[in-house]
Amino acid sequence: MANGELFIISAPSGAGKTTLIRRLLSSTDPDLADIAFSVSYTTRRPRTSEREGEDYHFIEESRFREMIAADQFLEWAEVHNNYYGTARDAVEPALAAGRDVILDIDVQGAERVLSQRPEAHSIFLMPPSYLALRERLRQRGLDDPDEIARRLAVSLWEIRRYRLYEYVIINDDADRASAALAAIFLEKRHRLERAEPAVSSLLEDFRDRG
Ligand code: 5GP
């Protein structure tokens, strides 16, 4: 079986990345089935809506450091004063089993993964404007004003690095942005290399009956 492909999605905080990824993962289109989401490890405290093992694995900094020392991370970074890391275990077995894997990681993480795995596909999701991003951060009510100001300042640093990515989606409309993200996955899945096993069995069918 062919390996799955790795997809990196980054976006400034509040650009709508989590919603977009959830929509993709819950798609009923069979051509978008079986995408694995890599659940990261973080030292950040859980938000009220978040669940251990689904959104993140929430761990103490000492445990995070042990995982770094044991080389368990494909990449890790400090983001907004907390540590975040992608476990090799969340990625490598799924890829080997032929599943596509999504990494929701920041720009530093994307840079590190791309340097090790240049074949990974990378997507940068942008907000339509500064004011729209600020409004979204305020309305979602997850962060206090200081944290919002910090996230907005970081967003400029992140957006400036957009050239690292292969694809850009401007999230000015959630439906259109979702369709664009789905199109990227569909394009990869309809490539000849990926379609080959299905075509081989189709050919056999024709041979047997013809
Ligand atoms: P949040 O705290 O809002 O959930 O995430 C903050 C940022 O950390 C987001 O940009 C998110 O993509 C990034 N992030 C989440 N998990 C990882 C990870 O495993 N590695 C890296 N480098 N960034 C991550």
Side-chain angles (χ1 to χ4, degrees):
M1 184 199 290
N3 276 3
E5 295 180 77
L6 191 57
F7 293 79
I8 299 167
I9 306 187
S10 303
S13 183
K17 184 176 43 164
T18 308
T19 308
L20 223 61
I21 293 175
R22 284 208 182 121
R23 284 173 75 154
L24 178 72
L25 296 177
S26 60
S27 167
T28 52
D29 181 343
D31 279 344
L32 292 171
D34 206 24
I35 299 171
F37 176 73
S38 157
V39 178
S40 293
Y41 286 76
T42 183
T43 59
R44 170 166 78 60
R45 297 292 115 216
R47 296 173 179 140
T48 41
S49 61
E50 289 177 327
R51 284 167 198 260
E52 163 62 35
E54 272 179 38
D55 299 283
Y56 285 105
H57 299 288
F58 296 97
I59 58 172
E60 295 301 322
E61 194 173 320
S62 55
R63 172 86 188 103
F64 198 94
R65 292 195 180 285
E66 281 167 18
M67 289 182 71
I68 296 174
D71 194 29
Q72 287 178 14
F73 289 123
L74 176 63
E75 64 74 37
W76 64 271
E78 189 179 344
V79 189
H80 307 305
N81 298 324
N82 285 295
Y83 292 104
Y84 294 81
T86 306
R88 294 184 189 282
D89 265 4
V91 175
E92 286 158 7
L95 289 176
R99 301 182 72 191
D100 289 337
V101 178
I102 298 189
L103 305 184
D104 167 349
I105 58 178
D106 86 318
V107 176
Q108 308 168 77
E111 205 159 12
R112 287 171 194 159
V113 173
L114 286 169
S115 70
Q116 298 171 62
R117 293 178 172 263
E119 73 286 1
H121 309 298
S122 53
I123 302 148
F124 194 84
L125 181 71
M126 297 212 192
S129 69
Y130 176 88
L131 288 182
L133 185 63
R134 190 177 70 182
E135 205 37 44
R136 257 197 70 111
L137 284 169
R138 283 179 177 169
Q139 275 185 0
R140 70 181 192 173
L142 296 177
D143 305 296
D144 61 40
D146 282 355
E147 182 59 27
I148 289 177
R150 194 163 34 240
R151 285 179 182 243
L152 283 168
V154 171
S155 70
L156 174 61
W157 182 89
E158 290 171 323
I159 291 172
R160 283 204 170 120
R161 279 156 187 77
Y162 73 99
R163 284 183 182 279
L164 180 69
Y165 295 80
E166 191 182 356
Y167 299 97
V168 169
I169 300 174
I170 297 179
N171 191 6
D172 50 5
D173 175 273
D175 288 339
R176 284 176 47 248
S178 274
L181 182 61
I184 294 168
F185 277 77
L186 291 173
E187 190 265 332
K188 299 299 171 211
R189 290 181 162 203
H190 286 281
R191 284 191 170 248
L192 185 59
E193 315 85 83
R194 299 280 304 255
E196 209 96 63
V199 177
S200 301
S201 55
L202 185 70
L203 271 176
E204 247 165 61
D205 180 45
F206 268 73
R207 241 182 261 127
D208 293 348
R209 291 167 199 272

